[in-house]
Amino acid sequence: MSFDEEWAQLRADTTAEQSTRTRLNQLPPDTSSGGGADGDLAYCVDTNKQAAEFIENHLGPDTHKAGVSADQDTEALTGATGTPGYISPGKLREWEVTGALRDRLDDWQRHARQLDGRLQHELNGLRGANTAFTNQEVETQYRLVSLSRWLPKSPLHDL
């Protein structure tokens, strides 16, 4: 293979590779998710309700308990923040590592609060979706019933 042929081949390979990496105007067809003309986007009130109940009854409380448990364990080592040593001594209160443990506890508490907030946000979203879909169904039913008053009766109606 001559230099010119090899160079042309390398350019063609690079151009083909680059065109597939930088394509911004289109996504490859994905049949695994809902939406679109051929998608299977569906909403199930029962599944949504189960997810909301799981967050409310299990995931949320368990996450909160884990955060509180970490607080208690750290305070057992470092002593309660802002209290004198004779009230809450802590096993490592006078050690230099206490400051680092308290910093880590502060980070943990912040992350635990964020996670609690996110779970609450998801719970509210699931419940809000149920309400929105239910309200939409009621509205559609109302419109169809009120529209049926204006339509002529079919001979099949009384069967």
Side-chain angles (χ1 to χ4, degrees):
M1 180 182 283
S2 71
F3 174 78
D4 291 331
E5 292 171 334
E6 186 177 354
W7 180 251
Q9 181 63 40
L10 289 172
R11 284 186 56 157
D13 292 345
T14 303
T15 303
E17 181 181 320
Q18 192 174 26
S19 70
T20 59
R21 278 191 299 174
T22 58
R23 185 180 301 150
L24 299 177
N25 62 348
Q26 152 182 11
L27 293 173
D30 182 13
T31 59
S32 64
S33 63
D38 297 331
D40 59 350
L41 181 61
Y43 180 80
C44 179
V45 174
D46 293 333
T47 303
N48 209 1
K49 197 177 284 189
Q50 287 174 349
E53 288 173 359
F54 179 77
I55 290 174
E56 184 176 39
N57 298 328
H58 301 288
L59 190 58
D62 291 347
T63 301
H64 186 74
K65 286 178 195 173
V68 170
S69 175
D71 293 348
Q72 292 169 345
D73 291 345
T74 303
E75 286 182 1
L77 290 174
T78 63
T81 306
T83 59
Y86 60 86
I87 293 176
S88 177
K91 295 178 183 177
L92 302 176
R93 187 169 187 104
E94 299 301 320
W95 293 35
E96 289 185 28
V97 74
T98 302
L101 287 173
R102 285 190 181 149
D103 286 344
R104 293 295 102 209
L105 177 62
D106 290 343
D107 288 345
W108 171 264
Q109 289 171 337
R110 181 172 44 85
H111 290 298
R113 281 191 306 271
Q114 287 175 343
L115 184 55
D116 282 340
R118 287 178 183 158
L119 288 173
Q120 188 62 45
H121 180 74
E122 291 298 322
L123 178 64
N124 292 341
L126 289 167
R127 293 240 165 93
N130 275 344
T131 302
F133 276 98
T134 301
N135 288 346
Q136 185 63 41
E137 289 295 316
V138 169
E139 176 69 21
T140 302
Q141 181 182 11
Y142 172 77
R143 287 182 181 197
L144 289 173
V145 167
S146 51
L147 181 64
S148 68
R149 289 184 295 162
W150 301 100
L151 296 175
K153 270 194 166 184
S154 165
L156 300 174
H157 184 73
D158 295 326
L159 294 178

